[in-house]
Amino acid sequence: MEKRIAAFDVGDKRIGVAFSDPFNEYAMPGETYFRTGNFRADVVAVARIAEERGAGLIVCGLPVNSDGSGSVQTEKTARFIAALREETFLPVETEDERYTTLEARRDQTAMGIKRDRRKQSVDSLAAAYILEGYLARMKKEKCDMSMKEENNEYEEGDNIVELVDEEGKTLRYEHVGTIQYKGEWYCFFTPEKTAEEADEADDEGEEVAVFRLVGDEENETLETIEDDALLDEVFAEFCKQYEDSEDADEARALEPDEE
């Protein structure tokens, strides 16, 4: 399990609160915090809410206009976030909160929540939407993450990496994706092609090499997967995770290397 993420929808009178589940897969609305009128006391209270729930990260919604420009409310919230960063040891990040309150109010109406009770929950529901947006963005970035070159057995250049096989031969591959599956990370590569080879490629799909990423950040290495059943599982999960992404067509055109 990972540390939970705390999310806050900072308003002038109320602050919505939400937390992720222990696996950081989805967001759950919490209790709304009602501001006291004392800016410093509110900042301290919000920091304590996150810390006491064992959060490892705080995400605050940042309100902007529909065109992405700032507003008076943007400046107020940014000031609160700056003070929160000084108050807590936890990292504090921001997430675009455009339309989250509107979505929360629509859902309250759809769920039949009485008008006199909506104010008690709308802010925390909006905080949950902020957190869901953050979790979705982080998941996509992890899938698309690029591998760093530092004291390991592969090098990166744009999207091309050089892999050294067991015989010491250097082969150039294109990195097409990285996913997490059952607590482990797996990387996917296709052989580098020249422009002519790419133009001549047929529609039958191309082979993809799958490796397990092991070690810590400063000493990561790639290892082959000997278990054919696991290889098939990992490849199927790769296609599933990329199904809704802009790379979906490319993922479906690949075929796992069974050697």
Side-chain angles (χ1 to χ4, degrees):
M1 294 189 296
E2 304 176 36
K3 285 195 173 184
R4 295 176 186 268
I5 300 175
F8 298 102
D9 178 34
V10 181
D12 293 334
K13 296 182 179 180
R14 302 179 301 274
I15 297 178
V17 181
F19 288 93
S20 66
D21 69 293
F23 298 95
N24 290 334
E25 291 292 333
Y26 57 87
M28 302 175 292
E31 295 294 327
T32 297
Y33 174 80
F34 290 85
R35 299 191 65 164
T36 64
N38 184 316
F39 180 85
R40 181 63 183 171
D42 291 339
V43 171
V44 172
V46 166
R48 297 298 173 267
I49 289 172
E51 293 168 4
E52 290 173 2
R53 286 290 298 271
L57 173 71
I58 293 174
V59 176
C60 291
L62 189 64
V64 293
N65 295 320
S66 58
D67 62 358
S69 61
S71 64
V72 173
Q73 196 60 40
T74 306
E75 295 179 3
K76 288 182 180 180
T77 305
R79 178 170 171 260
F80 188 96
I81 293 172
L84 183 60
R85 286 192 173 113
E86 294 181 358
E87 176 61 30
T88 182
F89 61 89
L90 298 175
V92 180
E93 298 190 20
T94 61
E95 183 71 11
D96 188 342
E97 69 166 47
R98 274 178 286 185
Y99 311 120
T100 54
T101 300
L102 179 60
E103 291 174 1
R105 286 173 178 162
R106 286 174 177 171
D107 280 0
Q108 284 184 317
T109 302
M111 290 185 291
I113 298 176
K114 294 182 179 180
R115 184 180 297 273
D116 59 351
R117 297 188 60 187
R118 290 177 187 173
K119 287 186 178 181
Q120 300 176 21
S121 60
V122 65
D123 301 286
S124 288
L125 191 56
Y129 289 151
I130 290 169
L131 182 51
E132 285 179 354
Y134 176 84
L135 292 172
R137 183 165 60 85
M138 290 300 101
K139 183 177 181 180
K140 187 177 186 306
E141 288 184 7
K142 283 183 179 179
C143 288
D144 296 338
M145 77 171 188
S146 58
M147 295 172 298
K148 299 178 181 179
E149 176 188 359
E150 182 176 358
N151 299 325
N152 48 40
E153 294 182 2
Y154 61 93
E155 297 179 357
E156 179 183 26
D158 294 331
N159 217 33
I160 301 297
V161 296
E162 293 183 347
L163 305 180
V164 180
D165 64 16
E166 296 178 350
E167 299 177 355
K169 184 179 179 180
T170 299
L171 305 173
R172 289 175 62 83
Y173 282 82
E174 179 183 2
H175 172 234
V176 296
T178 298
I179 68 168
Q180 186 177 32
Y181 180 64
K182 293 185 177 180
E184 295 188 291
W185 289 95
Y186 296 89
C187 302
F188 299 77
F189 303 91
T190 57
E192 181 188 22
K193 299 185 295 294
T194 65
E196 292 182 357
E197 290 172 335
D199 291 337
E200 295 174 359
D202 56 31
D203 297 326
E204 297 180 359
E206 58 184 303
E207 290 189 348
V208 56
V210 185
F211 298 91
R212 182 187 288 109
L213 184 63
V214 298
D216 54 36
E217 274 191 21
E218 296 185 353
N219 191 27
E220 292 175 325
T221 58
L222 299 172
E223 66 177 23
T224 56
I225 302 173
E226 304 296 339
D227 188 332
D228 290 341
L230 175 60
L231 180 64
D232 290 340
E233 283 184 32
V234 171
F235 184 74
E237 180 65 18
F238 168 73
C239 293
K240 178 182 177 182
Q241 290 194 22
Y242 275 73
E243 183 177 357
D244 296 326
S245 75
E246 60 184 8
D247 299 322
D249 292 338
E250 295 181 14
R252 284 190 288 269
L254 301 175
E255 295 180 351
D257 186 351
E258 299 180 353
E259 294 184 2

